[in-house]
Amino acid sequence: MSSRTATALAHPNIAFIKYWGNRDDDLRLPANGSISMNLEGLETRTCVDFNDSLSADELRINGENPDRSATERVRRMLNEVRQLAGIQLFARVESRTNFPLGAGIASSASGFAALALAASRAAGLDLNEASLSCLARHGSGSACRSIPGGFVEWKVGTGDTDSIAVSIASPGHWDLGDCIVVLSSAPKATGSSMGNQLAGTSPLQAARVADAPRRLAFCREAILRRNFGTFASVVEEDSNLMHAVMMTSRPPLFYWLPGTLGIIQAVQAARSQGLPACYTVDAGPNVHVLCERTAVEQPVKLLEGLPGVREVRLARAGGPARLLEDSSTAEHAS
Ligand code: DP6
C-alpha cells in the first residue's frame, strides 16, 4: 500500500465588508472585494490521505457522510489537486470542526481552506499563499480569506489568479472580539451558493457593488488606524446593504428572525451610550457583535439576556491556515 497524507487547520472568518454575488459563478470570481477577520478558537482540522488502496474518494465530516452536494464540492477540489499534481490516487478525507455547523459561522470557509492546504500538501505540492487562496476560493468564496492570517482582504482581481486574499494586519494588530449571538442553528432554507447566484437579480446589487471600493477603503483604513467609530459605521452599513440586496432578490431571501432585529437595536442603543460595539449579520439569523476586547464583558452580558438568544460564543482574531505537526508529505509504503 502506498499513501501520502497531510493534516491542516484553518479558522472560519467573519466578513466586515461582505462578499455577495459573483461575476463568474463557476470560478467564484466575486462582484466586489471583501474584508474579514479570522476567528481564533473556532477551527476545522482536515486530514487527507491519497491512498492506492482506495477505489473512490471517501469523505467524513464530524464522523458522518456529508450530503451529495457537499461531497461533490469536495470531489471537485480533489480533482483540481490531482490534476495540478499529476496523480490519480483517490483520497480519504476526514474533517472535524470544533464549532456546531449551522451556528452562524461559515464552516465552508474553514473547511475548504483546510482542505486546500491538506490536499495540496498530501499530493506533494508546495503551493504559495496566493495559489492556496485561489484553490480554496474555488471550493467556497469566503474560504480564500481563511488562508492568510489576521485581518484579510480578498481582492476583486482581474481574473482567476489574482482574485486572492492577503493579510492587511496581523491577529495581534487590534484586539477585536466577535460575540457570536446564536438565535438558531437550523439549516438555512437557501444556502450561500444559491444566494450568491441570486444577488444579481436585485436592482440594488449594482449600487452595492459600485460603492464597494469606498467601503473597502474606509474599512481598511479604520482597521489600520484602529478607529472603532469609523469601523462600526462602515461595517453596519455594509451588512445592511447586503441584506437589502438579499431581501430584494428574485425570489427574495429573508435570513433574519425577529430576534435578529432585537439584537441590532440593542447594539445600536448600547453604542449610543458609549459601548464600543457594532453588529454584522451573514446569510443567516445569527448576529456577530464586534467590540474592542477591553469592553467585551459588557456586550456578552447584555446579549445573553435578550429574547431568542440561545448562546453567545466569543472569538478573537486568528492566524492563517497551517499544516499540523503530524502531517507528513512523505510517501508511506507498507
Ligand atoms: C454572507 O463563501 O459561503 O458569508 O462561495 O458559495 O461557498 P460560496 O459562498 P460563501 O458566501 C459567504 C457569504 C457571506 C459573506 C462573506 O462571508 O463575505
Side-chain angles (χ1 to χ4, degrees):
M1 183 188 82
S2 142
S3 97
R4 305 202 271 185
T5 72
T7 304
L9 177 155
H11 301 291
N13 63 73
I14 177 66
F16 302 148
I17 302 296
K18 310 288 189 189
Y19 152 55
W20 196 244
N22 290 314
R23 58 190 201 276
D24 180 324
D25 282 324
D26 201 41
L27 286 173
R28 289 189 161 81
L29 291 177
N32 59 275
S34 52
I35 292 180
S36 61
M37 177 179 92
N38 285 352
L39 299 175
E40 174 76 39
L42 308 175
E43 61 192 40
T44 299
R45 286 168 190 249
T46 299
C47 175
V48 176
D49 177 15
F50 284 106
N51 194 310
D52 68 2
S53 71
L54 300 173
S55 53
D57 291 323
E58 290 177 9
L59 171 61
R60 311 243 331 145
I61 300 179
N62 292 339
E64 291 179 10
N65 295 324
D67 64 23
R68 257 180 60 187
S69 100
T71 306
E72 202 32 59
R73 276 170 88 171
V74 169
R75 188 167 298 135
R76 222 182 126 171
M77 180 168 288
L78 292 172
N79 284 342
E80 184 174 350
V81 168
R82 277 187 279 258
Q83 199 176 11
L84 282 170
I87 62 168
Q88 281 170 352
L89 297 173
F90 289 109
R92 183 176 292 124
V93 177
E94 189 82 48
S95 187
R96 292 203 165 268
T97 53
N98 73 348
F99 56 93
L101 305 181
I105 308 154
S107 56
S108 66
S110 52
F112 280 100
L115 179 66
L117 181 52
S120 58
R121 189 49 82 94
L125 298 165
D126 187 11
L127 301 182
N128 63 20
E129 186 182 273
S131 302
L132 275 172
S133 183
C134 180
L135 177 62
R137 193 195 77 230
H138 293 164
S140 173
S142 53
C144 75
R145 295 189 312 237
S146 284
I147 295 289
F151 298 83
V152 172
E153 179 165 0
W154 173 8
K155 307 276 182 193
V156 66
T158 58
D160 187 33
T161 50
D162 66 351
S163 183
I164 52 161
V166 294
S167 180
I168 55 173
S170 68
H173 166 75
W174 195 13
D175 206 4
L176 270 191
D178 179 8
C179 312
I180 306 158
V181 189
V182 181
L183 294 164
S184 163
S185 42
K188 41 195 173 201
T190 308
S192 302
S193 297
M194 177 52 74
N196 271 307
Q197 288 172 31
L198 293 175
T201 65
S202 164
L204 304 185
Q205 171 73 343
R208 190 190 78 88
V209 169
D211 181 60
R214 180 192 66 85
R215 298 193 306 281
L216 286 163
F218 265 88
C219 185
R220 198 185 301 122
E221 209 46 34
I223 290 170
L224 295 178
R225 293 176 188 273
R226 304 184 195 91
N227 180 335
F228 194 83
T230 307
F231 177 77
S233 63
V234 74
V235 166
E236 292 187 351
E237 181 188 8
D238 189 85
S239 174
N240 296 343
L241 279 167
M242 181 182 73
H243 285 275
V245 166
M246 291 164 160
M247 290 176 193
T248 51
S249 295
R250 299 184 196 116
L253 304 174
F254 290 92
Y255 285 109
W256 294 2
L257 287 173
T260 310
L261 191 55
I263 293 162
I264 287 174
Q265 289 178 327
V267 170
Q268 284 177 327
R271 191 166 67 253
S272 71
Q273 290 178 7
L275 187 74
C278 68
Y279 65 84
T280 185
V281 185
D282 273 348
N286 305 318
V287 185
H288 293 249
V289 179
L290 307 163
C291 56
E292 297 198 273
R293 290 270 297 182
T294 43
V296 85
E297 299 307 327
Q298 294 173 60
V300 171
K301 243 185 258 149
L302 170 89
L303 297 162
E304 277 174 342
L306 292 176
V309 173
R310 293 173 160 215
E311 188 193 353
V312 180
R313 293 178 78 98
L314 195 57
R316 57 192 299 175
R322 60 186 165 90
L323 288 164
L324 294 178
E325 284 286 299
D326 59 0
S327 68
S328 149
T329 54
E331 200 157 320
H332 305 293
S334 60

